[in-house]
Amino acid sequence: MNGYVLDFQQIDKSSLPLVGGKGANLGEMTRAGFPVPPGFCVTTEAYRAFIGQSARMEDYFARLAAVTADQLDEIAALGREIRDYLVTIEIPGGIRQALVDSWRRSGESKAYAVRSSATAEDLPTASFAGQQDTYLNVRGEEQLLQAVRRCWASLFTDRAISYRAKNGFDHRAVLLSVVVQQMVFPEVSGILFTADPISGHRGTVSIDASFGLGEALVSGLVSADLYQVRSGRIIEKKIARKKLAIYSLPEGGTETRDLPESMQERQALSDELIVELARLGGTIKRHYGSDQDIEWCWAEGKLFIVQSRPITSLYPLPDVPVAEGESPHILISFGHQQMMTDAIKPMGLSVLRTMVPFGKRSVRTESDKAYVAGGRMFIDITQAFTLKPARRVLPKVLSNIDERIASGIEEFIRKDSFVRGLPPQPGMKKELLRFFVPIAGKAASNLFFAVPERAAKEANEWMETFVHEGMVRLSGVTGSQRILRIQELAGIILRTLFARMIGYPLSGIIASIWIKKLAAKWLGDTEIMPVLNKSLHGNVTSELGLMIGDLADAARDKPQVVELIRHGDPVHFRSQLQTVEGGAAFLQEWDRFMELYGMRCPGEIDMTRKRWREDASTLLPSIDNHMRTMKPGEHRERFAEGAREAEAAARELVDRVRALPFGWLRAKLLSRLVRVYRSMMGLREHPKYMMIRLFGFIRQAMQEETRRLVEAGVLQSEEDVFYLTLDELMQLTEGQPMPGLAEMLEERKRDYSRFQSLTPPRVMTSEGEIITGRRRQQDAPAGALLGTPVSAGVVEGIARVVLRPDEAKLNKGEIMIAPFTDPGWTPLFHSAVGLVMEVGGLMTHGAVVAREYGLPAVVGIDDATKRIKDGDRIRLDGTRGYVLILEKPEPS
C-alpha cells in the first residue's frame, strides 16, 4: 500500500482528510469489528494528482466560484463541461498501478461497489448525501478504472455544485476519495435510523426494508416496509406493496425486475431479524456517540453494514436528566411564546435562563428547568402536570400563546404512560398558590373595586420606579461586582414582574372574556370585541408605532433628512443628522423617540442584538415605508378614529343591555367590565417593555466591562462576550484564567452560525420527540392555508413576504407575511392592511397590536413565508383563520 490507496483496516475516523466521510466511517466500523464487507479507498491524494495533471482545472474552479446556488442553468452547463472533460483524462500511472494491485489482492473475480466519498460528506453538520455517484456490481479492471474516474467527475454534478455553493463550501477545498468495497448480493436491504427521523424520538429505531439492492429504496423506485422498534420490542409495522427490486447481473451492472405477486406484500425482514438489526444499530450508535443513518443488507445468512453516517436532520436534544421509570419531560419553546424563534447567542441564553423564576438554587443562578438546544431556550413544564388541575388549565392558557403548542401538550398528557410516570412533587401546590394567589387577588381588585384609570396610573408609576432602581443597581460598581449585580437583576426581573405587574393586564383579559360571553348570551352579539379592541389606552407598543409615524412626518419636508433615512449609514445616523439641512429639528424628535424606545429592536429578547440606539438599520426602513404609504398625520387620525369607534360601540352595547329586563344592573356590570378592559388591556405590553428597558442597562453595563477585558487582552473583540455565559464572564472579571478560551469561542461561533438555519419545534420531549399538535376543524375553502384567527376581518391584497424588518419594502394596500413579529416589528404594522405569521396565538404581541390597529390577522401557518410568494394576490380571513392564494403574478 502507498499514499494513493488504503485498506479499510488502515482507516479510522481520523482518516477523513484522506478518505472522506464515507471511507472514514467504513474503516472505523471495520476496525471496531462491525460486519462490514471488506474493501479499500482510493485516497484524496490520488484525486489531487488526477486533477493536478490538468491545467484547465484552475479556470474551471474560478468559474465555479463565480456561480451562486440559484443559477441552475449556469451550474448545469458548467458541471456538464467539467464532467465530460474529466472522464477523458488518463489516470496517472502510479495511481493506476496502486489501484489495480489493491484490487487484485482483494480478489479479481469478485464484484465491487464503487462509491464516491467526499471530505465534506457524512459529517455531523452536513451530510452531502446523494451528491456524488455510486456504481454497483463493478467487475474487471477496465470497469473498475472507469468507475473510479466517473466518481471523481461526479464531484461536479449539478446537485453537488449547487449544494456546495448554498452551504458555503469552497469547490477547491472539497476533495474526493473513492471507496471500492466487495459486493454482497442481498436478499433484503434498506436503511436504519437509530432515531425516528420524522418525530425525532431518540428511543425509536426506524427501519426501512425492501427486496434486492438498497439502491431501489434510496432512489425512490420502490416503497419500503417500515418497522419501528423501541426498547427491543417492535411497536409498529407497515408492510408496503413492493412491485420492483434491483438485482446484480453476472456480467456486471444491475437491472430492475418486477417482483412476483407472491412477494409484493410479503414482510421483507422477519421479526427476529428486525430486533437483531435494531440491536446492532444501537451498538453502532453507542460506538459513535451520536444517532446514525445506517445502510444495511441481509445476504448469505447474515446482516452486513455497508454505510453509517450521522443523522443531520434531527433537532438537537436538550440534556434533560430523567430518572429510571419517569415520564419523558415536556419542553416548550420560549421563542414561540415570545414571537422570536431565531437562534440566540450564548450570553443571551444565559441571561434568559437566569431570568426564569423557578428551578433556581439562588436568585443569580441559571434555572435548571430552562434548557438550551439548537441555540434556543426550552422550558421544562413537566412538574406542573403532577397537579390534576394543571392538566386541564395549562393547555387552555397556552392556547392563547399558540394553538398548536396547547393541542400537542393536551394530547400528550392524556396518555396513561405519561401520568403513571410523573414523580410526586410535595409542596408544589403550596408554592404555586403562594405565587399565583397575590396575582389573582390583584386582578380581582382591579376588576371589581379599583378605579381603573387610577390603577393604570399606579402601574405606570411602579414601572418607572422599578426600571430606575434597575439602572441605579448597575451604576457605581465595576468588575466582578457589576456582573454579580447583573445576575441579581436578571434573576428578579420575571419574578417581580409577575408578582407586581401581571395582575393589571390579567384583569383586562378576564374582563374581555366576560364581555364576550355576556354580549353573546344577552344580545346574541358575537362581533363586539374586534371593535372594543381598537386603540386601547396606554399600550406602549402602539405608542411606539405612532411615534414612528411622527418621525416620518417630521422628515417629510426635509429632503436631506429623507435621503439619510433611505441611503445613510444607520450606525452613524444620529451624527450624520447634524450635518444636513433640517437635521437639527428632526434630531429633537429622534432623541425623544430613542429615550423611550432606543433599547428596542427586532428579536429583542436576545440581549446580544444591537439596539436601535446603536444601529438604526432595522428602524429606518419602517420610517421610509411610513412616508411612502401614509399621509401626514394619518396614523394619529386613524388611531383617534379607532378610539372613537370603540367608545361609541361601548356606549351602544351598554344602552342595548339597559333595555333588557333588570337592564340597569346588567348595564352597570357591563359598563364596569368595558371600563376595566379599555383601561387595563393596554398594559398588556408593559411587562415586556420593562424587561427590555432593563436589558438595555444590562447590555450597556456588560459592554463597559467587556471593553476593559479587551484592553487587558483577555478578549480579542467586544463581540466575544456574547459567546460566553454570565458565570464565565464573572470568572474573567475576577481574573481567573480560562484555558482554551479562544478555541471555545470559535466553536461557539460556528455552532451559532449552524443553529441559525434550524427550525425549532414548538414542543419537544426529553426523548427528542417533536409534538406538533393538531389544528381544530375550520370552515375554509379548499386549498386554503389554515392558521389561527387572531384579529377579525377579511382583506384581499398583494402579499409582501418580509423576513427581516430592515429589508421591508411594503407598499400601500399590501398584506405582510412574516415568520414572527415582536415589538421591534411594530413600525411596519401601519404600512400593512393585514398580517400573516408562522407562529403566535391570540395573546401574543403581533395579535394584540393587529387587533388594536384593526388589521385582519392569522397566525400559526407553518412555512407561510415559503408557501406564499411575493406578489401573490391573497384573501386573508382573520375571522375564520385562513389564507387563500387567489392569483399568482405573471412571470416577468
Side-chain angles (χ1 to χ4, degrees):
M1 293 285 177
N2 57 34
Y4 292 142
V5 179
L6 293 174
D7 188 83
F8 285 175
Q9 291 288 354
Q10 298 174 283
I11 297 168
D12 61 20
K13 59 187 176 185
S14 67
S15 307
L16 188 143
L18 277 175
V19 297
K22 191 176 282 126
N25 282 338
L26 288 169
E28 177 74 20
M29 288 191 294
T30 297
R31 295 181 66 167
F34 293 112
V36 176
F40 55 88
C41 291
V42 184
T43 68
T44 54
E45 289 301 314
Y47 167 78
R48 284 181 193 272
F50 176 71
I51 292 292
Q53 68 183 335
S54 166
R56 287 171 59 178
M57 284 307 298
E58 275 307 307
D59 175 61
Y60 283 136
F61 280 127
R63 290 166 64 186
L64 285 168
V67 299
T68 57
D70 59 350
Q71 292 178 299
L72 301 183
D73 291 341
E74 291 88 340
I75 286 172
L78 182 55
R80 188 184 314 109
E81 185 178 341
I82 297 172
R83 294 193 303 275
D84 289 348
Y85 169 65
L86 288 178
V87 294
T88 66
I89 300 178
E90 284 296 320
I91 297 176
I95 301 173
R96 181 185 181 113
Q97 191 60 53
L99 173 54
V100 171
D101 287 347
S102 294
W103 165 68
R104 285 174 177 157
R105 277 192 296 271
S106 183
E108 296 180 41
S109 62
K110 297 183 182 298
Y112 292 88
V114 181
R115 304 176 188 271
S116 307
S117 178
T119 53
E121 183 177 55
D122 294 348
L123 305 179
T125 57
S127 75
F128 272 71
Q131 301 304 312
Q132 286 83 45
D133 287 348
T134 290
Y135 299 92
L136 300 177
N137 199 23
V138 174
R139 295 176 183 268
E141 181 177 331
E142 286 308 313
Q143 278 194 18
L144 176 63
L145 293 172
Q146 185 65 5
V148 169
R149 188 187 286 109
R150 286 177 175 169
C151 281
W152 282 332
S154 74
L155 193 57
F156 303 97
T157 60
D158 301 356
R159 59 187 181 274
I161 294 170
S162 179
Y163 191 92
R164 290 195 296 272
K166 181 180 179 181
N167 290 278
F169 285 89
D170 184 345
H171 297 281
R172 285 184 178 85
V174 178
L175 307 176
L176 196 78
S177 169
V178 179
V179 173
V180 181
Q181 187 177 24
Q182 286 184 17
M183 282 279 293
V184 290
F185 300 97
E187 300 169 35
V188 184
S189 56
I191 301 170
L192 177 151
F193 297 94
T194 60
D196 186 344
I198 306 301
S199 74
H201 194 291
R202 300 310 200 268
T204 300
V205 176
S206 187
I207 300 170
D208 290 342
S210 194
F211 295 113
L213 291 167
E215 268 58 31
L217 191 157
V218 173
S219 63
L221 284 177
V222 299
S223 298
D225 289 354
L226 170 67
Y227 318 125
Q228 290 195 324
V229 181
R230 192 178 297 172
S231 302
R233 186 172 59 85
I234 299 171
I235 60 169
E236 184 171 4
K237 284 193 291 187
K238 292 181 179 177
I239 311 303
R241 186 173 180 84
K242 301 170 283 293
K243 296 183 178 181
L244 303 172
I246 296 178
Y247 292 101
S248 301
L249 293 170
E251 66 274 15
T254 62
E255 70 169 358
T256 302
R257 301 179 198 163
D258 292 329
L259 289 174
E261 284 284 343
S262 59
M263 290 182 67
Q264 288 184 8
E265 295 188 17
R266 183 193 304 171
Q267 183 173 320
L269 205 61
S270 69
D271 286 2
E272 293 77 13
L273 285 175
I274 291 170
V275 173
E276 181 185 341
L277 180 59
R279 192 180 303 117
L280 178 59
T283 307
I284 295 172
K285 171 182 175 176
R286 287 189 293 275
H287 175 80
Y288 280 105
S290 65
D291 281 294
Q292 298 288 300
D293 167 357
I294 299 167
E295 295 177 29
W296 59 272
C297 62
W298 170 254
E300 303 166 13
K302 62 183 293 189
L303 287 167
F304 288 96
I305 302 299
V306 294
Q307 187 51 257
S308 183
R309 61 179 67 86
I311 304 176
T312 59
S313 60
L314 296 173
Y315 192 83
L317 188 65
D319 186 17
V320 182
V322 180
E324 184 71 28
E326 192 175 318
S327 296
H329 288 217
I330 299 176
L331 301 107
I332 60 173
S333 164
F334 180 78
H336 281 82
Q337 300 166 60
Q338 292 298 316
M339 299 293 287
M340 205 293 282
T341 58
D342 289 347
I344 299 175
K345 295 187 183 78
M347 181 59 77
L349 291 166
S350 182
V351 171
L352 291 176
R353 294 186 70 199
T354 305
M355 281 175 48
V356 174
F358 46 84
K360 296 165 69 75
R361 298 182 300 281
S362 73
V363 70
R364 55 181 288 264
T365 60
E366 296 181 2
S367 169
D368 60 14
K369 299 301 179 188
Y371 294 90
V372 172
R376 281 83 173 177
M377 187 169 80
F378 293 84
I379 308 296
D380 186 347
I381 59 171
T382 314
Q383 288 185 353
F385 296 116
T386 59
L387 304 176
K388 287 184 179 179
R391 296 173 209 163
R392 183 182 69 257
V393 173
L394 192 52
K396 291 181 180 178
V397 173
L398 291 172
S399 67
N400 290 309
I401 296 171
D402 190 292
E403 180 186 0
R404 300 277 289 281
I405 287 178
S407 64
I409 288 175
E410 188 173 30
E411 184 178 325
F412 191 83
I413 64 176
R414 285 176 180 169
K415 298 177 181 177
D416 288 340
S417 57
F418 173 77
V419 176
R420 283 199 308 271
L422 284 172
Q425 300 292 328
M428 173 172 276
K429 186 179 291 186
K430 287 184 180 178
E431 186 178 344
L432 287 175
L433 286 172
R434 252 195 322 268
F435 186 72
F436 284 113
V437 165
I439 296 173
K442 186 66 177 176
S445 173
N446 290 332
L447 197 60
F448 296 113
F449 309 113
V451 177
E453 297 78 10
R454 190 182 301 161
K457 183 171 180 292
E458 289 170 1
N460 278 292
E461 290 172 350
W462 179 84
M463 175 180 73
E464 294 303 324
T465 301
F466 183 62
V467 170
H468 179 74
E469 288 173 353
M471 180 186 67
V472 171
R473 183 189 290 260
L474 300 183
S475 304
V477 290
T478 60
S480 60
Q481 189 62 30
R482 200 177 206 180
I483 306 306
L484 174 67
R485 292 195 180 183
I486 287 175
Q487 289 179 312
E488 290 173 344
L489 176 58
I492 66 169
I493 289 175
L494 282 187
R495 183 174 289 276
T496 307
L497 288 181
F498 270 106
R500 296 295 303 271
M501 197 72 204
I502 296 299
Y504 293 98
L506 180 59
S507 60
I509 293 170
I510 295 169
S512 71
I513 294 170
W514 284 10
I515 292 168
K516 189 175 180 179
K517 287 184 176 179
L518 293 177
K521 182 178 180 180
W522 292 344
L523 301 171
D525 188 340
T526 59
E527 304 297 328
I528 188 62
M529 289 312 299
V531 185
L532 290 182
N533 276 322
K534 290 184 177 182
S535 304
L536 292 170
H537 304 300
N539 187 323
V540 288
T541 306
S542 296
E543 183 59 29
L544 182 159
L546 292 170
M547 287 188 72
I548 293 290
D550 295 343
L551 287 174
D553 286 353
R556 288 177 196 276
D557 60 350
K558 302 174 180 65
Q560 291 187 25
V561 174
V562 172
E563 178 64 18
L564 267 187
I565 288 171
R566 290 175 177 164
H567 304 295
D569 179 358
V571 176
H572 301 103
F573 180 75
R574 188 182 187 282
S575 60
Q576 289 176 335
L577 279 174
Q578 299 170 4
T579 67
V580 301
E581 185 179 349
F586 182 81
L587 192 57
Q588 292 181 343
E589 293 293 320
W590 181 262
D591 285 344
R592 178 168 165 264
F593 177 88
M594 285 299 162
E595 183 181 353
L596 292 171
Y597 300 110
M599 76 299 296
R600 308 208 84 155
C601 67
E604 60 192 8
I605 63 166
D606 180 0
M607 58 78 56
T608 71
R609 291 197 177 194
K610 289 184 177 179
R611 309 286 119 172
W612 279 333
R613 62 188 173 206
E614 300 170 66
D615 180 356
S617 59
T618 57
L619 177 61
L620 296 178
S622 300
I623 300 174
D624 184 28
N625 278 324
H626 197 102
M627 286 190 289
R628 289 188 297 103
T629 60
M630 303 283 282
K631 297 176 183 176
E634 183 181 350
H635 59 294
R636 290 284 179 185
E637 178 52 37
R638 276 191 188 180
F639 192 82
E641 178 61 27
R644 288 192 292 270
E645 288 178 15
E647 288 161 7
R651 286 194 299 271
E652 182 185 356
L653 178 69
V654 172
D655 288 344
R656 288 165 64 196
V657 168
R658 190 176 283 114
L660 299 174
F662 300 100
W664 66 272
L665 183 59
R666 297 185 188 193
K668 187 175 182 180
L669 173 60
L670 209 53
S671 179
R672 170 73 188 184
L673 291 173
V674 169
R675 187 178 170 197
V676 169
Y677 176 70
R678 295 285 301 168
S679 299
M680 297 295 179
M681 197 60 194
L683 302 177
R684 183 242 175 250
E685 296 285 302
H686 273 46
K688 179 77 169 284
Y689 180 49
M690 293 167 66
M691 183 177 85
I692 299 306
R693 290 174 72 183
L694 293 171
F695 272 18
F697 301 137
I698 289 172
R699 179 179 167 87
Q700 190 173 351
M702 195 176 291
Q703 286 174 315
E704 291 171 6
E705 295 305 318
T706 304
R707 280 192 279 273
R708 294 188 177 92
L709 292 173
V710 172
E711 289 168 4
V714 177
L715 295 175
Q716 295 301 306
S717 75
E718 292 183 22
E719 281 292 306
D720 285 349
V721 72
F722 298 137
Y723 295 90
L724 298 171
T725 65
L726 283 170
D727 283 342
E728 289 166 348
L729 180 57
M730 171 73 80
Q731 186 176 334
L732 292 182
T733 55
E734 288 175 341
Q736 298 181 38
M738 287 183 64
L741 174 61
E743 293 79 7
M744 180 190 76
L745 290 173
E746 285 306 310
E747 182 180 359
R748 288 183 180 177
K749 289 174 185 178
R750 287 193 299 270
D751 285 343
Y752 174 70
S753 178
R754 178 164 55 90
F755 293 154
Q756 286 177 297
S757 65
L758 301 180
T759 301
R762 288 172 164 85
V763 186
M764 67 189 307
T765 72
S766 53
E767 294 176 327
E769 182 177 2
I770 294 173
I771 302 172
T772 56
R774 297 179 183 178
R775 199 175 299 285
R776 60 185 175 80
Q777 291 293 319
Q778 287 172 258
D779 174 22
L785 307 180
L786 303 181
T788 301
V790 294
S791 184
V794 179
V795 64
E796 291 186 6
I798 301 300
R800 181 65 58 195
V801 177
V802 181
L803 300 179
R804 292 170 42 185
D806 56 329
E807 297 174 348
K809 294 293 180 185
L810 283 164
N811 298 307
K812 198 171 188 69
E814 290 184 334
I815 299 169
M816 186 165 73
I817 317 297
F820 52 79
T821 65
D822 64 3
W825 289 65
T826 301
L828 295 172
F829 281 36
H830 280 292
S831 302
V833 296
L835 180 64
V836 178
M837 292 179 287
E838 294 178 340
V839 301
L842 194 63
M843 294 309 299
T844 47
H845 157 79
V848 171
V849 178
R851 289 195 293 272
E852 285 197 38
Y853 287 5
L855 298 178
V858 176
V859 302
I861 297 181
D862 291 334
D863 294 324
T865 56
K866 297 184 180 72
R867 298 161 74 183
I868 303 170
K869 305 296 183 186
D870 251 0
D872 286 354
R873 182 167 186 79
I874 64 174
R875 178 183 302 135
L876 186 166
D877 191 323
T879 304
R880 292 189 286 173
Y882 72 81
V883 171
L884 184 65
I885 299 173
L886 302 173
E887 186 180 346
K888 294 282 185 182
E890 290 289 332
S892 56

